[in-house]
Amino acid sequence: MELALEDTAVTIKVLSVGGKRMSRAIYSQMPRRSPLSNHDCTVQGQLWGIVVDPKCCHRMGSGSTSVDLLRSVTGDGPGGVHRRAIVQSGHMASRVEKYLAHLDRLSGGREPRFFPVESTKQGLRGVTEIVYDDLPDGLLTTLTYGLSLAEHPEWQHGSPELCLSVNSTNVIWAHAVGFLAEQLRGTCPFSYGSTINFGERIVPDSEMTAFCVFAPLVLDRADYLGIDVGVPGHEGHDVINIQGMYPIHEVERQFINEHGLEAFWKSGWEPTDVLRSPAI
């Protein structure tokens, strides 16, 4: 990987992941925002007492659709607090339907697993982990829905959802991202360069204890920026931007906070390898 910092953009060119050739992508931050952030967020409370148990996973069955299942775990359907209906192809489609339809296009219709995370925020529904196994090949990819329901003063050009891609089959990585999205929504900006401190191992078999935020590894710029989930006539008023989450070691978190993300990105680390040694 290589990263180039320009006057108004952070650019990352993905050449390969784990030795596998991937499509070339160029990522740039949205205009009128600082390209890098010095935010350092800390998780409060016990992690695994809140995250959903794996047995709560929802899969599609006969007669069910991805939208049905996501509605069932988010409550974003008829009468839902955060339902934003639109007229599309002769039927009413909610905010979550537009988001999930976008993910379906990106995944080629692959069936994900859904894990709900109960809300601890008054007035906000829970967060959902949308988990794709072996997509891209060999990676566990997780996206969230529910972080963008909150508000933050820095979210001037859209609200974030999170994306994690790791070389692992351990679904705890997905639960960690869902937990962070739910616990830190409204307080952590999840902007490029932000670091998030777990204070303990994220999963038992990895020594990593933190995350940093940058553009998603497996998505093209047009696929992760400016996802319009607004109502007709008000397009662009409700926009989701997908932010990439990268597991890192504590020493790397400290390095990023002191020297910035660009210096760390040039250290030659492998972003999907959760068993790697520190790059610093």
Side-chain angles (χ1 to χ4, degrees):
M1 277 197 165
E2 58 185 83
L3 177 147
L5 183 61
E6 302 169 357
D7 289 340
T8 59
V10 175
T11 302
I12 171 176
K13 300 176 181 178
V14 180
L15 303 180
S16 65
V17 176
K20 299 179 180 179
R21 185 73 180 179
M22 297 188 70
S23 59
R24 190 178 186 87
I26 297 178
Y27 306 111
S28 60
Q29 181 64 297
M30 300 191 70
R32 300 190 302 278
R33 290 181 60 185
S34 172
L36 295 180
S37 167
N38 60 357
H39 288 284
D40 184 44
C41 307
T42 302
V43 179
Q44 301 292 333
Q46 294 296 317
L47 173 61
W48 306 124
I50 298 175
V51 174
V52 64
D53 188 280
K55 68 184 179 182
C56 296
C57 169
H58 296 257
R59 280 193 179 273
M60 289 192 293
S62 177
S64 299
T65 66
S66 296
V67 170
D68 293 333
L69 288 176
L70 192 49
R71 276 181 166 178
S72 74
V73 295
T74 62
D76 190 4
V81 174
H82 298 286
R83 184 174 188 273
R84 304 173 188 182
I86 64 170
V87 178
Q88 186 179 60
S89 301
H91 75 280
M92 301 297 286
S94 70
R95 181 181 196 265
V96 69
E97 283 180 305
K98 294 190 72 175
Y99 179 66
L100 189 59
H102 179 77
L103 298 188
D104 282 344
R105 287 193 294 272
L106 297 183
S107 68
R110 284 279 294 273
E111 176 189 337
R113 293 183 285 164
F114 298 93
F115 295 90
V117 183
E118 184 177 355
S119 178
T120 62
K121 305 294 189 292
Q122 186 175 2
L124 289 179
R125 295 191 181 274
V127 168
T128 302
E129 305 156 12
I130 306 167
V131 182
Y132 295 91
D133 298 294
D134 199 31
L135 187 69
D137 290 346
L139 299 183
L140 178 78
T141 294
T142 302
L143 296 105
T144 63
Y145 178 78
L147 171 60
S148 62
L149 297 175
E151 296 181 354
H152 191 282
E154 292 194 15
W155 298 346
Q156 299 299 311
H157 303 284
S159 302
E161 293 294 348
L162 306 180
C163 177
L164 170 77
S165 293
V166 291
N167 187 8
S168 174
T169 59
N170 192 338
V171 76
I172 292 179
W173 287 108
H175 298 336
V177 171
F179 173 81
L180 289 175
E182 200 291 314
Q183 288 285 295
L184 298 180
R185 54 182 172 170
T187 58
C188 182
F190 292 99
S191 53
Y192 289 2
S194 294
T195 57
I196 301 168
N197 182 16
F198 256 71
E200 61 184 51
R201 290 189 179 197
I202 302 168
V203 300
D205 58 351
S206 173
E207 296 182 356
M208 295 178 176
T209 60
F211 288 92
C212 68
V213 182
F214 195 52
L217 179 68
V218 297
L219 301 179
D220 290 329
R221 184 178 189 274
D223 296 328
Y224 68 76
L225 286 183
I227 304 165
D228 189 356
V229 292
V231 299
H234 296 275
E235 288 80 2
H237 289 253
D238 190 3
V239 172
I240 289 176
N241 300 311
I242 300 175
Q243 308 286 72
M245 297 284 283
Y246 296 89
I248 55 175
H249 293 274
E250 170 60 16
V251 65
E252 295 170 337
R253 183 187 69 85
Q254 295 177 10
F255 181 88
I256 292 171
N257 291 338
E258 182 176 352
H259 302 283
L261 179 62
E262 181 184 12
F264 171 67
W265 215 273
K266 291 179 177 179
S267 62
W269 62 300
E270 172 49 64
T272 66
D273 185 359
V274 295
L275 300 179
R276 64 176 177 82
S277 300
I280 303 302

